[in-house]
Amino acid sequence: MNRRGALSLLAAGGLAALAPARAAPPAPPVEVFKSPTCGCCGAWVEHLQAAGFAVTVRTVGNTTGVRRRLGLPDAFASCHTATVGGYVLEGHVPAADVKQLLARRPVALGLAVPGMPQGSPGMETPDGQRDAYDVLLIDKQGKASVFAHHPKV
C-alpha cells in the first residue's frame, strides 16, 4: 500500500471515530391502569421510568375490567395492568424483562407476575429481602410459561 492509501485509511478511521454514536431507539410508551390508593403501583411506575420508559398512568376504580378487556385471564391478576408495544403487562414485571419481551417480540399476549412478590420492582423491602418469583409469558390462548425466574435473595 502506498503512502496516500494509508493516509486515506487513517483519515476515514478518524472520521468514523468522530461520528456520533447511534442512540438506541426509545422504548415504546407504557400505559398503566392502577387504583388511586395503591402505593406499590406508583413505585413500579417509577421503576419503569428509571429504566427509560415514558409512562402514562390511568387511575381506575378496579383493574379487573381493564384486564378482562385486554384478554388477560384473572388467574394472573395483580394490582395493576399495563400495555406496551402491543403487549399486556400484569403486576410487578421488572423493566429488564419488559425490554427482553420487546427485543424478542414473541407471539404472546404479554407478561405477568401474579400476586405481589416481596422484593419485586415496587415491592422492595428496607432489608433487601426478595422472594423467588417467576415472570410468566402468557400466550394468546391464556396459557403461561416461565419467561424469567428471579431467585430469592
Side-chain angles (χ1 to χ4, degrees), residues 41-53 55 92-98 120-122 124 133:
C41 297
W44 183 72
V45 166
E46 291 172 3
H47 166 76
L48 289 180
Q49 290 169 328
F53 288 96
V55 182
H92 295 269
V93 178
D97 293 341
V98 176
S120 60
E124 291 89 354
Y133 68 96

Side-chain angles (χ1 to χ4, degrees), residues 76-112:
F76 305 112
S78 185
C79 56
H80 55 264
T81 304
T83 59
V84 62
Y87 291 103
V88 176
L89 304 174
E90 181 68 19
H92 295 269
V93 178
D97 293 341
V98 176
K99 289 180 178 182
Q100 281 296 311
L101 174 76
L102 295 170
R104 294 179 191 169
R105 303 291 310 167
V107 175
L109 184 60
L111 298 177

Side-chain angles (χ1 to χ4, degrees), residues 16-58:
L18 294 175
R22 291 187 188 205
V30 179
E31 185 174 23
V32 178
F33 301 89
K34 70 175 220 54
S35 152
T37 59
C38 187
C40 66
C41 297
W44 183 72
V45 166
E46 291 172 3
H47 166 76
L48 289 180
Q49 290 169 328
F53 288 96
V55 182
T56 300
V57 176
R58 308 276 183 225

Side-chain angles (χ1 to χ4, degrees), residues 93 96-102 104 106 110-112 134-138 144-150:
V93 178
D97 293 341
V98 176
K99 289 180 178 182
Q100 281 296 311
L101 174 76
L102 295 170
R104 294 179 191 169
L111 298 177
D134 291 329
V135 175
L136 304 176
L137 179 69
I138 313 303
S145 60
V146 175
F147 183 79
H149 176 74
H150 297 272

Side-chain angles (χ1 to χ4, degrees), residues 1-11:
M1 175 181 289
N2 64 25
R3 183 176 169 194
R4 181 175 287 173
L7 288 174
S8 294
L9 281 175
L10 282 173

